Amino acid sequence: MIIVALNVLVFFISNYVYPYLTYMLALMPLRIIAEPSSCYTFVSYMFVHGSIYHLFSNMLGLVIFGTILERRIGSKEYLLFYFLTGTLSGVLSFLFYYLTGSYFVFLLGASGALYAVMLLFAVFFPDAMVFVFGIIPMRAITLVVFYFIIEFASSFASDGISHITHLFGLLAALLYIMIRMRINPFRRRQ
């Protein structure tokens, strides 16, 4: 809940008090290349959101999945997981955009970390029923596969959303689960 509160606080400050804060905290490949001291944005980009809907959807996901996960793995492990996967998602996105010559990307939001949280939730609770849009029942593991397919297909679109960051969030979670937690996410858990 502290992560959610910080995101809400940063959103209101950056949108209503000090709009330049969005620029200071967002992850921008060109800025990191020009100013290596701005590497802090690999973490800070997770706290800036582009709209109230962007903030609400990310925070709702963190409340739904994150609170249950935190109880399951503990606060310290959850925070490590959240920040490490979110940061790695940003670093991998930076490398992708840098290598493809897309230097003018403006990354913000907790979505990469949220996708990581959703994957970890699905690993621990694959059969948990999640109601998409509050009405469509879907198993947690099916939801993650569904979102993976949507994000992969959408990554070829130019809609202003960094779908690749979402995919890197899933990849970062997969690596964390397999390396740190020593869990095979592809094996059915009882």
Side-chain angles (χ1 to χ4, degrees):
M1 295 310 292
I2 292 171
I3 293 171
V4 172
L6 284 172
N7 274 278
V8 170
L9 179 64
V10 170
F11 177 80
F12 282 104
I13 291 172
S14 64
N15 280 274
Y16 301 110
V17 178
Y18 188 58
Y20 189 69
L21 187 63
T22 299
Y23 172 80
M24 289 173 38
L25 299 179
L27 197 163
M28 296 171 279
L30 183 62
R31 183 167 166 222
I32 291 173
I33 293 165
E35 303 170 31
S37 63
S38 66
C39 284
Y40 66 87
T41 61
F42 287 126
V43 174
S44 65
Y45 85 102
M46 293 185 277
F47 292 95
V48 189
H49 290 81
S51 68
I52 194 77
Y53 173 76
H54 188 208
L55 174 73
F56 178 76
S57 60
N58 280 342
M59 296 308 102
L60 181 62
L62 286 181
V63 168
I64 291 170
F65 302 112
T67 53
I68 295 168
L69 276 178
E70 185 178 5
R71 274 183 250 144
R72 172 74 186 249
I73 64 176
S75 296
K76 288 181 183 176
E77 189 71 25
Y78 179 75
L79 285 174
L80 178 64
F81 175 80
Y82 181 84
F83 281 106
L84 192 59
T85 58
T87 302
L88 186 56
S89 179
V91 169
L92 292 172
S93 296
F94 165 77
L95 291 172
F96 173 82
Y97 289 119
Y98 176 75
L99 294 173
T100 59
S102 304
Y103 306 125
F104 299 102
V105 176
F106 194 78
L107 300 178
L108 41 82
S111 302
L114 174 59
Y115 274 74
V117 166
M118 286 192 312
L119 178 58
L120 184 59
F121 180 87
V123 166
F124 284 125
F125 310 102
D127 294 321
M129 292 305 289
V130 179
F131 289 85
V132 181
F133 305 117
I135 53 172
I136 304 168
M138 193 177 290
R139 288 175 48 233
I141 193 66
T142 306
L143 177 73
V144 171
V145 170
F146 176 70
Y147 273 119
F148 170 78
I149 292 168
I150 288 174
E151 293 304 321
F152 183 76
S154 299
S155 66
F156 300 101
S158 296
D159 58 2
I161 298 171
S162 180
H163 298 284
I164 203 75
T165 303
H166 302 166
L167 292 172
F168 283 136
L170 292 172
L171 176 62
L174 187 64
L175 292 171
Y176 189 99
I177 291 164
M178 294 173 74
I179 295 169
R180 172 145 173 99
M181 298 183 138
R182 297 184 182 182
I183 296 172
N184 180 351
F186 302 105
R187 195 181 83 221
R188 182 84 173 138
R189 297 175 57 80
Q190 300 300 337

